[in-house]
Amino acid sequence: MSIMTLNQDNLNQILTPTGVTLVEFGAPWCPPCKALLPILDELDQELGSNVSIIKINVDDSPESSSQYQIMSLPTVMIFKDGVPQDKLVGLRPKSVYLEKMKQHIS
């Protein structure tokens, strides 16, 4: 599966189906967000069809940022069946994201 870049108009449509979704709230000008992109690519390759990975540009989607109370970048939220499960603020090692995702994959 490939990483999708969405905006506030289509985020809720993607989160409603069943399954596990990782949503990265970031911005192109944010250095830690840029450092997170290769980690997300690796997670996408390792977890494959078990999860969806979505990127949201907070500058283009202020309503989504407000709805999920995004205060720092990057913020990664993990949803299961459209319901928020975990929120990780700041850049973390790949192992942290991988462990959190595995906790929610059935």
Side-chain angles (χ1 to χ4, degrees):
M1 188 150 205
S2 62
I3 298 174
M4 296 180 279
T5 302
L6 302 179
N7 58 35
Q8 59 201 28
D9 296 329
N10 51 16
L11 174 62
N12 290 332
Q13 295 172 353
I14 297 296
L15 292 178
T16 53
T18 59
V20 178
T21 305
L22 180 148
V23 180
E24 181 259 341
F25 292 87
W29 49 263
C30 165
C33 301
K34 290 179 185 178
L36 179 57
L37 293 179
I39 294 171
L40 295 179
D41 285 333
E42 289 176 22
L43 290 173
D44 185 50
Q45 290 176 3
E46 288 181 33
L47 298 171
S49 62
N50 292 320
V51 301
S52 298
I53 298 178
I54 298 171
K55 294 182 348 183
I56 298 287
N57 181 338
V58 297
D59 292 335
D60 295 339
S61 303
E63 290 176 17
S64 294
S65 302
S66 178
Q67 176 182 358
Y68 294 109
Q69 301 173 356
I70 305 304
M71 303 300 221
S72 297
L73 301 180
T75 295
V76 170
M77 292 186 68
I78 299 171
F79 293 79
K80 184 167 184 176
D81 301 332
V83 179
Q85 302 293 316
D86 281 303
K87 187 177 199 176
L88 301 165
V89 179
L91 183 62
R92 307 284 179 92
K94 175 185 164 188
S95 59
V96 172
Y97 300 112
L98 188 59
E99 185 59 36
K100 288 289 186 183
M101 293 299 287
K102 286 182 177 181
Q103 289 175 8
H104 299 290
I105 296 171
S106 304

